[in-house]
Amino acid sequence: MKLSRGWAVGRMGVALTLGLVARAANTPAAGVAVAPSPPVASLAELRSLIERHITQPRFEGAFWGVKVVSLDTGRTLYEHGANLRLSPASNSKLYAGALALDALGGDARIRTPILATATVDAAGDLAGDVIVVGRGDPSWNPRRSGGEFAAVFAPFVAVLQRAGVRRIAGDIVADATFFRGPPYGAGWTAEDLNEDYGAEISAITLDDNYVDLRVTPGTTLGSPCLIEVVQPHSELKFDNRTVTVAAGGAWKLTVLRLPGETTVRVFGELPLGGKPELTEATVQRTEAWFAAGLKAALERAGIPVAGAARGVRWPEESATGPVRIGEVESPPLREMVKHLMKVSQNQHTDLVFAHVGETRRTPQTPATTWSEALAVGALREFLGKNGLREREVIFEEGSGLSRNNLTTAAATVALLEFMAKHREAPAFAEALPLAGGDGSLRRRMLGTAAEGKVRAKTGTLRWAAGLSGYVTAVSGERLAFSLMLNRHRGTPERPAGRELDEIAVLLARYGGAKD
């Protein structure tokens, strides 16, 4: 896990949501500011300019998939390699978001039941366990809202207080068995699991399932740096391999937690007298972390808990209780989809994706069928029944962190056309980042014709980049487009994202007549 110095400083401010953008799994390339240009006068000129761009020598050995369609006329304005199956990276989130909105509706909420193994007596004693039954709600995230860590537990404490609970004799149990499968997505690489964007997928998810580490230089030359864990109760152990070097010296930090271990190794050096830096470490068994946090919150609220805090996850036995104490609701689904699309949040996508999958489980479904597989099946059915080129889409998971997800520009544009007419069309479009405005496009296409006119999902893996969405051309024509560039090695001066942005700017400048 490597830390960007500029991000470390900014993350301590109030713009925490913006901080998430820079740290998203498929971090977008740096923006490009281009001086205002005249409109592209005709369709022939538009096609020529795009063709000239994508056939430049620097793209030798790379693959382009491009398709542009008018939403007003249905006409295809341009296509190149549109039927090639390519890696969409985080453009996969377009599919996951569309599936969730179609299957559940934008008003849907994820409800987390709170159960007990005994009733509450007249004195407020609960002679048994309290069980929080996770359903994959991704919103238990005080880091995102800028609130205190303890605030995430307030709704759960309030439910128990309303039920008259004053003392708990048993355990606090966080049950994450609702999701079946490993706590990571299919096709993720081993190195992903050490990064915050590859944190565990769990039906009980807390603060995106990683802790912040504040690392401060030591007080003397050669002394270890001080490591402080911002969020409590994670049970992580630390092997501090850092050293304080001379003022003005090298600055570097690397954090490593091997899969299956609770020991976090921190390597690197900070200069004497320097400011604290912020990095992060993923948490294993996040359901146990949540249970420990809730137990502490209850005790702070004056509700003592005699038992332990513990978590269970599949394939362990689920915890059951005959008494329903209450439930905690998530925000509306359209808000969750907006967040996962704007900042390209992998874990939130896969939580929503797995939740949709579990709505498809029946008594006849084999117990070993993973939640993710059910969601992939639901996506395939959604595409097929709506004529959305289902055979061109091969997905393993929802976020696009998998290197094995494949789709075509043509299939992505077909999805965009369908969602432009969907009952949830406003929610889907508003969830997309706005060029020069917000999310993962907030710093891209600034000062161009595309600023404020392009709404599109970004995507970046090591050798894959994507940009797909909607643009209102200078002519007023509404276009849907998908741009995919694979196996291209960009440079700091011309990252892959910039190559896509330049085409999006051309589309925004298009002034040709609709006919």
Side-chain angles (χ1 to χ4, degrees):
M1 191 174 298
K2 295 182 180 179
L3 179 64
S4 159
R5 186 177 182 84
W7 168 72
V9 174
R11 255 193 77 190
M12 295 302 290
V14 295
L16 290 174
T17 299
L18 297 183
L20 288 170
V21 180
R23 296 172 25 260
N26 301 319
T27 305
V32 53
V34 180
S37 301
V40 176
S42 67
L43 180 56
E45 183 184 4
L46 177 68
R47 289 171 172 169
S48 176
L49 289 170
I50 297 175
E51 193 73 20
R52 187 185 307 168
H53 178 72
I54 68 175
T55 56
Q56 294 177 82
R58 64 178 174 274
F59 299 122
E60 184 178 359
F63 295 101
W64 277 100
V66 181
K67 187 161 185 176
V68 184
V69 169
S70 170
L71 292 174
D72 295 335
T73 67
R75 179 172 61 168
T76 297
L77 303 187
Y78 181 84
E79 59 183 333
H80 175 99
N83 296 318
L84 287 175
R85 287 195 185 96
L86 300 174
S87 171
S90 272
N91 276 205
S92 299
K93 294 179 175 70
L94 291 167
Y95 291 82
L99 171 66
L101 289 170
D102 181 78
L104 305 178
D107 291 325
R109 296 173 186 263
I110 296 176
R111 292 177 168 83
T112 303
I114 302 175
L115 309 179
T117 58
T119 58
V120 184
D121 68 18
D125 292 320
L126 197 161
D129 299 337
V130 171
I131 306 163
V132 177
V133 185
R135 294 288 186 262
D137 186 345
S139 67
W140 304 346
N141 191 341
R143 181 190 290 108
R144 183 176 119 203
S145 63
E148 295 294 326
F149 176 76
V152 75
F153 304 105
F156 298 90
V157 173
V159 167
L160 291 165
Q161 288 174 327
R162 286 195 296 270
V165 177
R166 301 178 67 180
R167 287 170 293 277
I168 298 170
D171 296 341
I172 302 299
V173 185
D175 186 333
T177 59
F178 182 67
F179 287 168
R180 303 187 186 192
Y184 45 82
W188 291 12
T189 68
E191 64 185 20
D192 291 330
L193 307 184
N194 186 58
E195 305 293 341
D196 61 342
Y197 58 73
E200 287 194 355
I201 300 168
S202 173
I204 297 278
T205 286
L206 175 60
D207 232 356
D208 295 343
N209 293 346
Y210 68 89
V211 293
D212 298 299
L213 307 179
R214 184 180 293 110
V215 186
T216 305
T219 57
T220 59
L221 194 64
S223 64
C225 301
L226 173 67
I227 300 173
E228 300 171 89
V229 184
V230 175
Q231 294 86 356
H233 312 302
S234 68
E235 298 300 320
L236 291 173
K237 303 175 182 66
F238 289 88
D239 178 6
N240 187 349
R241 309 282 187 92
T242 64
V243 63
T244 303
V245 297
W251 177 98
K252 56 186 177 182
L253 288 174
T254 300
V255 178
L256 176 65
R257 182 182 69 79
L258 298 177
E261 292 189 359
T262 57
T263 297
V264 177
R265 293 171 175 84
V266 184
F267 303 87
E269 50 195 49
L270 294 179
L272 187 67
K275 294 180 180 179
E277 304 293 347
L278 203 66
T279 183
E280 66 282 324
T282 57
V283 177
Q284 182 177 283
R285 298 296 308 237
T286 57
E287 62 282 349
W289 184 28
F290 179 90
L294 179 56
K295 182 175 185 287
L298 287 165
E299 290 171 343
R300 284 194 302 272
I303 303 176
V305 179
R310 56 188 177 92
V312 293
R313 68 181 182 187
W314 187 87
E316 297 164 353
E317 289 294 324
S318 61
T320 59
V323 180
R324 187 180 182 91
I325 301 294
E327 64 181 23
V328 172
E329 286 188 345
S330 74
L333 179 66
R334 64 174 56 90
E335 292 184 22
M336 293 187 279
V337 169
K338 184 175 182 179
H339 175 68
L340 67 88
M341 293 266 237
K342 289 286 188 188
V343 303
S344 202
Q345 223 291 348
N346 291 333
Q347 182 197 65
H348 289 206
T349 307
D350 283 318
L351 291 173
V352 170
F353 196 61
H355 183 86
V356 172
E358 281 302 323
T359 66
R360 306 292 298 272
R361 190 177 296 278
T362 70
Q364 290 72 44
T365 305
T368 52
T369 301
W370 293 356
S371 307
E372 188 176 65
L374 290 173
V376 169
L379 175 62
R380 191 162 49 242
E381 182 180 319
F382 162 67
L383 297 173
K385 75 178 181 181
N386 293 300
L388 301 179
R389 309 175 77 105
E390 175 263 333
R391 291 177 60 85
E392 298 176 18
V393 181
I394 304 173
F395 275 20
E396 285 189 335
E397 50 86 67
S399 71
L401 189 54
S402 170
R403 278 63 171 176
N404 299 325
N405 278 10
L406 296 172
T407 189
T408 68
T412 304
V413 167
L415 176 72
L416 291 166
E417 290 182 279
F418 176 78
M419 291 306 296
K421 301 173 184 176
H422 196 273
R423 67 183 185 278
E424 294 290 347
F428 184 78
E430 290 167 12
L432 300 176
L434 180 66
D438 61 26
S440 55
L441 285 181
R442 74 192 188 282
R443 294 176 183 167
R444 291 170 59 169
M445 294 174 268
L446 291 166
T448 72
E451 183 175 352
K453 301 295 183 182
V454 168
R455 285 190 177 274
K457 183 69 203 73
T458 56
T460 306
L461 288 171
R462 184 168 296 165
W463 310 123
L467 185 70
S468 302
Y470 305 109
V471 56
T472 302
V474 69
S475 65
E477 190 168 7
R478 298 174 305 128
L479 311 177
F481 67 91
S482 179
L483 315 174
M484 301 168 67
L485 175 59
N486 278 200
R487 302 187 186 183
H488 171 66
R489 185 172 186 172
T491 66
E493 296 75 27
R494 294 198 66 86
R498 177 172 175 174
E499 307 293 1
L500 307 177
D501 291 353
E502 292 189 3
I503 298 176
V505 171
L506 289 175
L507 299 179
R509 289 172 50 204
Y510 177 55
K514 292 181 184 179
D515 60 358

